[in-house]
Amino acid sequence: MARVPAALSTMLNRTPNRIRPARHRPPPRLELAARPRPWLRALGLTAVVLVGAWLGLLIVGNVRAPVGPMDTTMALRPSVSGGTKINISPLGALSLDSHIAPVRLDVNVDQLDPERSQALVDHPERLSGLQDEVARDVEHGTLDLAVRSCVAVVSGATALGLAVYRRPRRALTAGGLALALLAASGASAYATWNPKSVLEPRFSGLLSSAPSVVGNARSIVTEFDVYQKELARLVTNVTKLYDVTSTLPAYRPDPSTIRVLHVSDIHLNPASWKIIGSLVKQYQVNVIVDSGDTMDHGAAAENGFLDPVRDLGVPYVWVRGNHDSRTTQRYLERMKNVRVLDDGRARTVAGLRFAGIGDPQFTPDRSVVPGSEASEELAGARLASALRDQQAAGTPVDVAVAHEPSAARETDGQVSLVLCGHLHHEGTEMLPYGTRLRMEGSTGGSGLRAVEHKYPAPIEASILYFDRDSRRLQAWDAIRLGGLGLTTAEVSRHLADENQPGATRSPSPSAPGSPGTATASP
C-alpha cells in the first residue's frame, strides 16, 4: 500500500477538525416557537369574543321603544354587578338592583311624546291604567332588545374573529361563544330577577332629591288611584259652595265687587284646572292670580300642562315660583289671557293694578342654596322700589305679588295687599307698616306629594273681594278641600279689619315721605 504524503496527511487530519463542530450544532427550535401555548390561544379567543360582543352591542345593540308617554332607547351593556339604570337627562339617573348578571340594562328617556303626554293631561283618569300600559311597553321593548342583542353579539364577535384569525371556522367559533355567553347572562338575569327593586331605587344627579319630591314609590302606586277618585268628588262638591257662602251674614258682595281667585303651588296636578274652572264659574271671578310653582321641574315637556289656562275665560296673572323656569314663563307670555309679572312691572287687570316679581331661585330638586334668604329679600326690595316708583308716578299699585313670603314682606308700607305662596299652607299677616300679607296654600294639594305623608295635603284657594271704587280688600273666602281619603269641603269667610262692624277706615300704605303719613323703610 502506497504511503500518503505527509502534507496530504496533515491536510486530511485538519479538515475533520474544522467541519466537525458543524455536525454537532443543536438543531434550531423553530417548530416549538411556532406553536403557542394552549392557554394563550384560549385567552386570545376569549378576548376576541368579549371585545367583539361589546362592540356589537355598542354599535347595533340599541332599540328605540315607546314606554307610556315617553320615547326611550334600551341597550345592554357589560357590567360586573348587573342591574338596571334609567337615565333621565338632564335630571340624573336612578339605578335598580333588578338582577345579577354580567350585563346591565340601560334605559335612556329621550323625550316625552307630546300627543301621548297631552292625552294624559286631558284625561287624568287614564293614569289608573298607565302602570299596565308601561308594563306591556317594557315587555315588548325587552323582547326586541333580546333579539337585537343576539344578532349584535354574534355579528361583532364573528367580524372581529375573522379580522384577527383570517379563518372562517375560528370566526364562527367566536360568534357561537358570544351567543352562548349572552344566553348564560340572560338565564342568570332571569333567575335573579327582583321585581320589587323598583320600590327601592337609588337616585343620582338632580333626582337625588326625588324621594322628597314625589314620595315613596309604593305609596304613589297604591294610593294615587284613590287620590284621583277623591279629587273628582271634590270638584263636584265645589260647585255647590257658592250657594252657601253667598248667604253668609257678615258680608254680602254686590255685583260690582271685583272678585279675585288666588291660587298657588299647583305642582302639575291636572285636577286643579277642574277645580279652578268651577270656582271661576260659581263665584263669578273677574281675574285669577297665581303666585307661582305651577310646575314641578320647569322642563319644556311640562308646558302642555298649562294649556287649560287659555280656556278659563278670565285674565290670568302669574309670577314665577322656584319650580317654574324661564321656559315656563316664556310659554305663558305667549297666551293672550295671561299677564306675567316680573321685575316689578305693573299691569292693570279687571280694574286692579298688579305688580310682581319672579322668584330669583330655580330649585326643582328642592335644594337649599346658601344665601337663598338674602336673594329673596333682595328681590323683595326690588319689588318695593318699583312700587315706590309707581306711587311717585301717580299710578299706585293695589296688589303686589311674589312667590316667597320673605320677598313679599319687603313690600311692607308700599302697598295695601301683597299675595304669596310657597309654604303650602294658607295664612294672613298684618305687617308692621300696614301691609296685609295673604299667603295661599297649595291649590294642587302639593301635587303627587299629597300622598307622601301620613295626613294628605289639602287643596286650598281663596276668593278675594275688592271694592271697585277704593280698590281695597273687603273680605275673602278661604276654601279648603280635603285631601286623599277626606271628602270634606270647608269655606270660611274673613273680613278686613276696616270692614268689621264699628271699625274706622285705616289709611292705606303710602310711599315714604308722602304728606300725612309716617315715613318707614322696610
Side-chain angles (χ1 to χ4, degrees), residues 382-407:
R382 289 173 55 198
L383 177 56
S385 176
L387 294 174
R388 286 192 292 271
D389 293 341
Q390 291 289 329
Q391 179 77 19
T395 55
V397 170
D398 304 309
V399 182
V401 189
H403 177 66
E404 229 269 7
S406 59

Side-chain angles (χ1 to χ4, degrees), residues 30-42 44 165 167 170:
L30 297 177
E31 184 177 357
L32 292 177
R35 293 183 179 180
R37 295 182 177 88
W39 64 271
L40 286 176
R41 186 184 305 172
Y165 297 115
R167 297 179 183 178
R170 189 72 62 86

Side-chain angles (χ1 to χ4, degrees), residues 157-458:
T158 301
L160 185 60
L162 191 61
V164 172
Y165 297 115
R166 312 275 181 169
R167 297 179 183 178
R169 181 179 298 178
R170 189 72 62 86
L172 291 176
T173 301
L177 290 175
L179 181 60
L181 178 61
L182 181 63
S185 301
S188 175
Y190 180 80
T192 59
W193 184 255
N194 178 22
K196 296 182 179 180
S197 61
V198 71
L199 300 179
E200 297 177 351
R202 297 188 305 275
F203 299 90
S204 61
L206 294 180
L207 289 179
S208 58
S209 62
S212 61
V213 174
V214 301
N216 181 272
R218 183 182 288 105
S219 65
I220 291 177
V221 171
T222 57
E223 297 174 9
F224 191 72
D225 182 57
V226 180
Y227 177 64
Q228 284 286 320
K229 292 179 182 178
E230 295 304 325
L231 284 180
R233 296 176 65 180
L234 290 174
V235 170
T236 304
N237 291 341
V238 169
T239 61
K240 302 176 182 179
L241 295 178
Y242 184 70
D243 291 335
V244 177
T245 57
S246 62
T247 60
L248 293 176
Y251 173 75
R252 294 190 180 185
D254 59 66
S256 65
T257 301
I258 301 175
R259 307 176 189 216
V260 177
L261 171 59
H262 183 200
V263 301
S264 188
D265 296 87
I266 294 175
H267 284 292
L268 283 181
N269 189 343
S272 297
W273 299 126
K274 296 291 185 182
I275 296 174
I276 292 173
S278 176
L279 291 172
V280 168
K281 180 179 179 181
Q282 298 301 326
Y283 280 88
Q284 301 176 10
V285 168
N286 301 107
V287 57
I288 302 170
V289 176
D290 185 342
S291 50
D293 274 6
T294 313
M295 312 299 255
D296 223 9
H297 293 92
E302 296 177 341
N303 286 344
F305 171 77
L306 299 168
D307 290 344
V309 172
R310 294 188 177 96
D311 304 322
L312 293 175
V314 294
Y316 196 91
V317 177
W318 183 86
V319 296
R320 186 179 68 253
N322 61 296
H323 281 255
D324 305 315
S325 66
R326 297 279 182 174
T327 301
T328 302
Q329 181 165 316
R330 287 191 292 270
Y331 190 82
L332 281 169
E333 287 173 340
R334 293 194 291 267
M335 295 188 184
K336 293 183 178 180
N337 66 317
V338 176
R339 308 292 184 268
V340 174
L341 304 179
D342 199 4
D343 297 324
R345 290 192 297 269
R347 303 288 295 272
T348 299
V349 185
L352 295 174
R353 191 157 179 81
F354 297 89
I357 192 166
D359 198 295
Q361 300 187 85
F362 179 52
T363 57
D365 57 344
R366 295 172 61 88
S367 61
V368 178
V369 181
S372 59
E373 186 73 15
S375 68
E376 296 290 349
E377 293 175 355
L378 179 60
R382 289 173 55 198
L383 177 56
S385 176
L387 294 174
R388 286 192 292 271
D389 293 341
Q390 291 289 329
Q391 179 77 19
T395 55
V397 170
D398 304 309
V399 182
V401 189
H403 177 66
E404 229 269 7
S406 59
R409 290 189 177 94
E410 295 297 314
T411 65
D412 187 16
Q414 310 304 324
V415 68
S416 61
L417 176 66
V418 60
L419 304 178
C420 64
H422 183 65
L423 296 184
H424 295 192
H425 64 79
E426 65 91 22
T428 303
E429 178 182 350
M430 287 301 299
L431 301 178
Y433 297 109
T435 295
R436 185 189 304 275
L437 183 148
R438 173 65 190 163
M439 181 169 59
E440 192 53 78
S442 174
T443 312
S446 303
L448 287 180
R449 288 188 292 280
V451 298
E452 178 183 0
H453 303 295
K454 179 179 180 181
Y455 299 102

